[in-house]
Amino acid sequence: MTHEEEIEINYLKQPTVFDKLLEPVHDFVEKQAQQLPQSRRQTYPYLMFFRTLICYLVSGTPSLKLFLNTLLNKGLLPDALKLT
């Protein structure tokens, strides 16, 4: 099972407020992900990238580098956001 499939299963079981916010664009993002060419070097799925980018935009963190280095990489974001 891929990480993206795991997210989809968790989303269907118990959506968070963050999932509810993304719900209106969920189908569009999935279609976009399917249309993009896959690279074997790609380590971060498109759906995860999209969720991370939206989380960054609504977090108010002053820089994406700060968001990734401190919040995401150090595990300071809630697991319920499903960003890792």
Side-chain angles (χ1 to χ4, degrees), residues 36-45:
L36 290 173
Q38 296 295 315
S39 169
R40 59 182 178 191
R41 293 187 295 162
Q42 181 179 350
T43 58
Y44 204 55

Side-chain angles (χ1 to χ4, degrees), residues 7 13 27 30-31 42 53 56 63-64 74 80 83:
I7 289 170
K13 286 182 181 177
D27 291 339
E30 278 190 352
K31 286 178 188 174
Q42 181 179 350
L53 185 61
Y56 159 69
S63 78
L64 182 58
K74 292 186 180 181
L83 297 177

